[in-house]
Amino acid sequence: MSRAVLSIGSNLGDRLGYLRSVIDGFGSRVVAVSPVYSTAPWGGVEQDDYLNAVVVVEDPAFECADWLRRGQELEQTAERVREVRWGARTLDVDVVWCAHEGPSGPVACRSADPALTLPHPQAHRRAFVLVPWLDVEPQAELEVDGRVRRVRDLVAELDAAERDGVHRTTLTLAAGGANHCSS
């Protein structure tokens, strides 16, 4: 069994539609969807605000690289263009964390591969990833600098301006307009 936490975002075009395309694109693999948040852009490039969410997915046949591959396929379908680092985009799908089922529960995957670094090297600094993740996995943990940390603690350590820039909306991604927030 492979389980992954995906951070999804959009700030161009039909932002909500692009996020919903991820839910549709992963289909029955989706086990949890966070509420949708509005967030200021990250990385210093002038652009419109993002809609962000976190999606938890599972599939016994998927490896970590499969989650990345499928996310990139969905980005291509949304006609994502990669011209400016941290620039505006129709759809961004990041694999934040991935694990395989071990004898006593999930075992987090680690990878230094530049194509898929796990855990995501910047996730612990991004409230737009951590806050929605807590909505679907309140006990979530993330390895940072070789040490496993509670995501709740990572959020608390962020600069207040970073946390305050993440605003929960009334928008929903799940089928029928209802958020699925259980795992």
Side-chain angles (χ1 to χ4, degrees):
M1 172 68 68
S2 172
R3 180 179 181 98
V5 174
L6 310 175
S7 175
I8 62 175
S10 174
N11 76 336
L12 287 176
D14 180 6
R15 299 177 304 160
L16 187 60
Y18 288 128
L19 296 185
R20 286 181 174 153
S21 75
V22 174
I23 307 308
D24 294 341
F26 281 103
S28 63
R29 295 178 181 103
V30 174
V31 296
V33 179
S34 79
V36 176
Y37 287 82
S38 175
T39 62
W42 200 90
V45 177
E46 187 69 31
Q47 57 190 301
D48 291 336
D49 286 353
Y50 278 82
L51 290 182
N52 291 100
V54 161
V55 181
V56 179
V57 288
E58 285 184 355
D59 189 317
F62 265 43
E63 298 294 327
C64 297
D66 295 318
W67 299 118
L68 175 66
R69 178 190 48 76
R70 183 66 183 132
Q72 289 175 337
E73 289 170 356
L74 294 169
E75 289 175 347
Q76 289 173 351
T77 299
E79 299 179 353
R80 167 154 180 196
V81 178
R82 296 175 188 266
E83 292 178 350
V84 177
R85 183 175 180 157
W86 295 320
R89 57 203 71 176
T90 55
L91 182 62
D92 187 34
V93 180
D94 285 337
V95 180
V96 174
W97 177 91
C98 186
H100 295 285
E101 192 61 37
S104 57
V107 176
C109 300
R110 292 186 201 135
S111 170
D113 184 333
L116 178 59
T117 305
L118 289 171
H120 190 287
Q122 297 299 322
H124 67 285
R125 294 187 175 108
R126 297 177 176 173
F128 68 84
V129 172
L130 301 176
V131 171
W133 189 2
L134 284 176
D135 284 330
V136 293
E137 294 188 332
Q139 302 304 316
E141 295 179 330
L142 180 66
E143 184 178 328
V144 179
D145 297 326
R147 193 170 134 223
V148 176
R149 306 277 314 278
R150 291 182 345 160
V151 170
R152 180 170 312 289
D153 295 340
L154 294 171
V155 170
E157 293 169 8
L158 291 173
D159 183 86
E162 175 78 13
R163 289 189 314 265
D164 294 345
V166 178
H167 304 280
R168 189 172 177 164
T169 72
T170 59
L171 302 172
T172 60
L173 297 180
N179 280 323
H180 177 88
C181 291
S182 63
S183 50

